[in-house]
């Protein structure tokens, strides 16, 4: 019921006038067949009886012609109105969906496959479902009006006829509703397969994967996997189509038997003179129309039912509770003045996953730099996610000047943080836009930020300077592709654009750079970082050595901490790693 209300609410809100037009057109269209049948009866009986004169037949014949014109024109009006309804509802539904998605403060819903499937279904349903449901409901009402008119007509010709034809259609209705549920379950089953299939399809056509696929010769293997998923999807659909045909076959045969019996009775009655020729015409139209109408009602009910079941996913997303608890009113996140502390932080992505952080305690001092180093998978990027409050710690807390960050509005907290993530985004937009996205109201300082990141010269020399598209994906002639290191500098400029962030997070900011560029960028970072509180994650220990504090994370626990010299003297894990890297350079 909630889904019905939501769909109607959307349609009414988005397109009240087209919706009213569709309902009116449907009601008129519904009345046309029964009107035509009775007018035909009138014409036939007048022709067969005493009133053969042209004037007597002219009026019902003219009305019959008008009904024919109406029947020809109305479907086109309906199609226009439905098109408009679809566009407006699609726009509103999409807008509401992404407005809701934007309110998800954390990352859990984007990193959980089940939630991603739901989001994908919601995207599909938001566009199509409301229109399909409205269309099915209107078609259902239209069929119901037509059927009611013809059942009344049958009743006049012989009450048992009306009852028999109605009862004959009930099994079809029940079968359709059962099938609707089965189809919606089948869609749930095929959605993850479709998501994986489109992942393979994307890989096979993507410029990023093209090199590896060709070099490793994995194209055939990926294509085979894609084919396997599509075959599984097809098998499910085939099974469902067979089931549909089997479930609909018997009820259709019952209805056809009843129709045939009724017709035989009608012909006999006309031969006996109990029914007129006109009555027989009405009977023939009525049997076909009632059966067609009832099948239409069953099909429309099934379509509406199936789409309403799918629409539940749209509602799940648009009415989902907040993924992270946000205090209301939240405490204002003040400018950092003492530092950020992780106090006995434990974290795992879900109860099914292992612990990633196991009792981490550390402090990023105000105005100082903390370098976080450690093996792959040690939990460094996860710790960054907790600092930005993309997740809450499973146990323990992250304190901002002594206040648990759960007490702040996440958006306000994030306005105080600048970051370059390891997996930064390459936006298919212009160079200026790629940087301006760091802080849209600071777009005037794009060149300054690019200069600080050492990429101004590169961007200014592009065919359209900062207005050059950094992609050739849209077929623009002067779109360009930057190198990995140039992109990294653009991402850095995006972070530098942010006005004086209280915390600067740099997760592998120079991993794609050549040694000279790395040195330059580190100089830029050092200049930019000066006096700022920052967290630097790097596998290149040469860039970590100047940090005020170095923390070595190993298997989710702090294995060592101290200054560079102190850790070298301690001759532990850090010293071992540093010496190995240094030896690699002087060998
Ligand atoms: N969204 C996720 N869901 C489940 N597990 C995850 C998720 N993200 C990371 N992990 C797991 O958490 C652990 C720590 O990952 P994390 O990315 O924090 O390591 P890292 O120290 O940054 O590694 P690297 O140096 O390779 O970047 C890994 O075992 C990883 O598989």
């Amino acid at each position: 019921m909630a889904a019905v209300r939501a769909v109607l609410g959307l349609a009414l809100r988005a397109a009240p006038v087209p919706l009213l037009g569709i309902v009116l057109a449907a009601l008129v269209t519904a009345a046309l067949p029964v009107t035509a049948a009775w007018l035909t009866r009138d014409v036939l009986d007048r022709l067969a009886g005493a009133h053969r004169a042209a004037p007597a037949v002219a009026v019902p014949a003219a009305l019959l012609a008008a009904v024919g014109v109406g029947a020809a024109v109305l479907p086109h009006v309906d199609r226009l109105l439905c098109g408009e309804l679809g566009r407006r509802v699609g726009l509103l539904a999409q807008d509401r969906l992404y407005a809701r998605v934007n309110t998800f403060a954390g990352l859990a819903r984007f990193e959980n496959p089940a939630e991603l499937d739901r989001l994908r279904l919601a995207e599909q349903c938001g566009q199509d479902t409301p229109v399909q449901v409205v269309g099915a409901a209107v078609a259902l009402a239209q069929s119901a009006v037509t059927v009611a008119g013809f059942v009344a007509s049958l009743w006049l010709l012989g009450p048992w006829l009306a009852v028999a034809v109605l009862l004959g259609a009930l099994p079809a209705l029940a079968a359709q509703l059962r099938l609707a549920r089965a189809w919606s379950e089948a869609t749930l089953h095929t959605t993850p397969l479709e998501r994986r299939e489109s992942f393979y399809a994307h890989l096979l056509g993507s410029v990023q994967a093209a090199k590896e696929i060709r070099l490793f010769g994995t194209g055939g293997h990926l294509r085979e996997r894609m084919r396997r998923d599509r075959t599984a999807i097809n098998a499910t659909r085939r099974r469902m189509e067979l089931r549909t045909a089997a479930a609909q076959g018997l009820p259709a045969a019952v209805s056809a038997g009843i129709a045939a019996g009724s017709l035989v009775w009608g012909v006999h009655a006309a031969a006996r003179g109990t029914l007129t020729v006109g009555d027989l015409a009405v009977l023939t139209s009525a049997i076909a129309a009632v059966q067609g109408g009832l099948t239409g009602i069953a099909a429309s009910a099934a379509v509406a039912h199936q789409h309403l079941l799918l629409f539940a996913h749209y509602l799940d997303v648009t009415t989902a509770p907040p993924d992270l608890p946000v205090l209301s009113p939240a405490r204002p996140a003040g400018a950092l003045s003492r530092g950020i502390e992780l106090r006995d932080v434990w974290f795992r992505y879900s109860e099914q996953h292992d612990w990633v952080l196991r009792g981490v305690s550390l402090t990023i001092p105000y105005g100082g730099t903390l370098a976080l180093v450690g093996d792959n998978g040690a939990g460094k990027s996860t710790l960054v996610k907790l600092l930005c409050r993309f997740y809450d710690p499973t146990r323990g807390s992250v304190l901002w000047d002594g206040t648990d960050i759960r007490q702040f509005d996440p958006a306000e907290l994030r306005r105080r943080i600048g970051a370059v993530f390891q997996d930064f985004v390459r936006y298919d937009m212009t160079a200026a836009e790629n940087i301006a996205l760091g802080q849209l109201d600071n777009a005037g300082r794009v060149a300054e930020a690019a200069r600080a990141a050492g990429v101004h010269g590169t961007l200014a020399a592009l065919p359209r300077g900062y207005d050059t598209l950094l992609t050739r994906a849209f077929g623009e002639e002067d779109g360009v592709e930057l190198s990995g290191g140039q992109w990294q500098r653009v991402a850095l400029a995006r972070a530098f654009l942010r006005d004086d962030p209280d915390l600067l997070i740099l997760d592998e900011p120079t991993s794609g750079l050549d040694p000279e560029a790395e040195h330059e960028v580190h100089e830029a970072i050092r200049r930019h970082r000066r006096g700022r509180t920052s967290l630097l994650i790097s596998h290149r220990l040469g860039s970590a050595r100047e940090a005020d504090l170095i923390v070595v994370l190993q298997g989710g626990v702090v294995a060592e901490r101290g200054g560079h010299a102190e850790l070298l003297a301690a001759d532990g894990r850090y010293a071992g790693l540093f010496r190995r890297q240094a030896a690699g350079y002087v060998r």
Side-chain angles (χ1 to χ4, degrees):
M1 249 0 243
V4 175
R5 265 201 312 276
V7 162
L8 285 180
L10 257 180
L12 266 175
R13 181 77 200 274
V17 175
L19 182 63
L20 184 68
I22 289 169
V23 171
L24 287 178
L27 289 179
V28 176
T29 308
L32 290 180
V34 79
T35 313
W38 284 97
L39 285 170
T40 307
R41 171 187 184 267
D42 205 20
V43 169
L44 288 178
D45 284 350
R46 278 172 200 251
L47 285 174
H51 310 285
R52 280 169 184 241
V57 182
V59 176
L63 286 175
L64 199 54
V67 166
V69 171
V73 169
L74 276 174
H76 298 287
V77 175
D78 183 58
R79 203 168 305 135
L80 270 180
L81 291 170
C82 283
E84 188 56 24
L85 178 81
R87 282 187 290 276
R88 291 203 208 170
V89 169
L91 182 67
L92 182 64
Q94 188 184 51
D95 198 44
R96 283 191 179 172
L97 177 69
Y98 288 107
R100 188 70 196 168
V101 169
N102 271 344
T103 67
F104 298 162
L107 288 188
R109 292 212 168 108
F110 299 98
E111 293 192 329
N112 176 332
E115 298 274 358
L116 271 184
D117 281 340
R118 180 166 302 146
L119 187 57
R120 166 132 193 223
L121 279 171
E123 282 166 354
Q124 287 171 4
C125 301
Q127 283 290 322
D128 304 340
T129 306
V131 184
Q132 299 277 7
V133 172
V134 169
V138 168
L140 194 149
Q142 183 177 324
S143 302
V145 171
T146 306
V147 167
F150 277 115
V151 166
S153 308
L154 283 176
W155 189 272
L156 292 177
L157 300 176
W160 65 268
L161 267 179
V163 174
V165 172
L166 269 178
L167 285 182
L170 284 184
L173 188 63
Q176 287 283 17
L177 291 180
R178 264 200 314 278
L179 283 171
R181 184 164 290 278
W183 269 105
S184 131
E185 278 160 15
T187 307
L188 274 187
H189 170 69
T190 52
T191 301
L193 295 175
E194 280 176 345
R195 197 153 61 82
R196 212 166 52 190
E197 183 203 22
S198 56
F199 162 71
Y200 293 132
H202 173 73
L203 269 189
L204 286 168
S206 101
V207 58
Q208 284 86 2
K211 273 184 294 184
E212 288 206 5
I213 288 176
R214 271 144 197 80
L215 191 84
F216 296 135
T218 44
H221 175 71
L222 293 173
R223 199 167 54 83
E224 180 51 35
R225 285 182 162 212
M226 188 169 80
R227 222 177 63 86
R228 215 181 314 153
D229 282 339
R230 177 46 56 184
T231 309
I233 295 167
N234 284 349
T236 304
R237 300 227 168 112
R238 188 174 304 114
R239 218 173 25 249
M240 280 309 302
E241 277 163 16
L242 284 172
R243 188 171 160 188
T244 304
Q248 288 174 336
L250 187 62
V254 171
S255 298
I258 291 174
S262 307
L263 264 180
V264 171
W265 175 85
V267 171
H268 274 107
R272 283 197 312 274
T274 331
L275 293 183
T276 65
V277 180
D279 288 338
L280 193 58
V282 171
L283 176 67
T284 318
S285 311
I287 289 173
V290 170
Q291 292 209 322
L294 286 176
T295 312
I297 288 176
S300 303
V303 168
H305 185 59
Q306 188 184 340
H307 281 96
L308 282 171
L309 289 175
L310 288 174
F311 192 67
H313 299 292
Y314 178 87
L315 285 183
D316 278 349
V317 175
T318 50
T319 59
D323 54 337
L324 287 176
V326 177
L327 276 191
S328 177
R331 282 181 70 157
L336 192 69
S337 61
R338 299 207 304 278
I340 298 160
E341 182 191 349
L342 270 77
R343 191 178 289 170
D344 191 23
V345 168
W346 289 73
F347 180 76
R348 59 181 169 193
Y349 281 92
S350 75
E351 288 187 1
Q352 286 74 48
H353 286 98
D354 269 349
W355 290 105
V356 177
L357 300 177
R358 304 157 187 264
V360 171
S361 292
L362 55 84
T363 300
I364 311 174
Y366 171 70
T369 297
L370 182 139
L372 196 59
V373 301
D375 298 336
N376 292 132
K380 303 180 295 295
S381 297
T382 302
L383 192 147
V384 166
K385 291 183 198 168
L386 299 187
L387 276 177
C388 299
R389 209 183 162 211
F390 293 138
Y391 288 92
D392 281 334
T394 317
R395 284 190 233 150
S397 45
V398 180
L399 306 169
W400 179 278
D401 280 346
T403 303
D404 192 320
I405 60 171
R406 278 175 280 218
Q407 303 204 6
F408 303 141
D409 175 356
E412 202 190 325
L413 172 73
R414 289 169 198 160
R415 273 196 288 276
R416 299 201 164 274
I417 300 176
V420 180
F421 295 112
Q422 195 176 14
D423 49 355
F424 63 85
V425 182
R426 298 158 189 230
Y427 296 96
D428 285 350
M429 297 181 181
T430 65
E433 286 167 331
N434 259 284
I435 298 175
L437 285 174
Q439 187 166 341
L440 289 169
D441 53 6
N442 243 353
R445 289 182 33 217
V446 160
E448 197 184 313
R451 232 175 244 117
V455 72
H456 171 71
T458 309
L459 300 182
L462 294 176
R464 291 192 186 197
Y466 278 81
D467 292 329
T468 309
L469 269 180
L470 299 189
T471 176
R472 292 170 63 200
F474 301 129
E476 307 281 334
E477 274 173 26
D478 54 0
V480 297
E481 299 286 355
L482 294 185
S483 75
Q486 288 166 335
W487 265 116
Q488 206 148 17
R489 289 169 188 250
V490 169
L492 209 57
R494 186 153 66 228
F496 286 177
L497 187 70
R498 188 146 267 209
D499 271 336
D500 213 10
D502 293 82
L503 172 66
L504 185 63
I505 296 174
L506 301 157
D507 190 352
E508 292 285 348
T510 55
S511 57
L513 301 184
D514 59 57
E516 201 169 330
E518 187 188 2
H519 175 73
E520 267 176 41
V521 168
H522 270 294
E523 280 304 310
I525 291 176
R526 228 191 315 277
R527 274 196 304 277
H528 193 79
R529 218 171 55 193
R530 194 163 294 140
R532 285 198 175 100
T533 313
S534 52
L535 173 75
L536 171 69
I537 297 179
S538 182
H539 286 291
R540 306 205 191 175
L541 301 189
S543 58
R545 62 188 294 175
E546 288 171 28
D548 300 287
L549 179 68
I550 299 168
V551 169
V552 182
L553 207 57
Q554 215 175 342
V557 296
V558 174
E560 291 172 30
R561 72 180 79 208
H564 174 71
E566 197 183 335
L567 289 178
L568 279 190
D571 204 19
R573 174 92 185 131
Y574 176 82
L577 280 175
F578 186 82
R579 291 201 182 105
R580 250 199 314 282
Q581 284 193 3
Y585 285 118
V586 294
R587 220 182 344 236

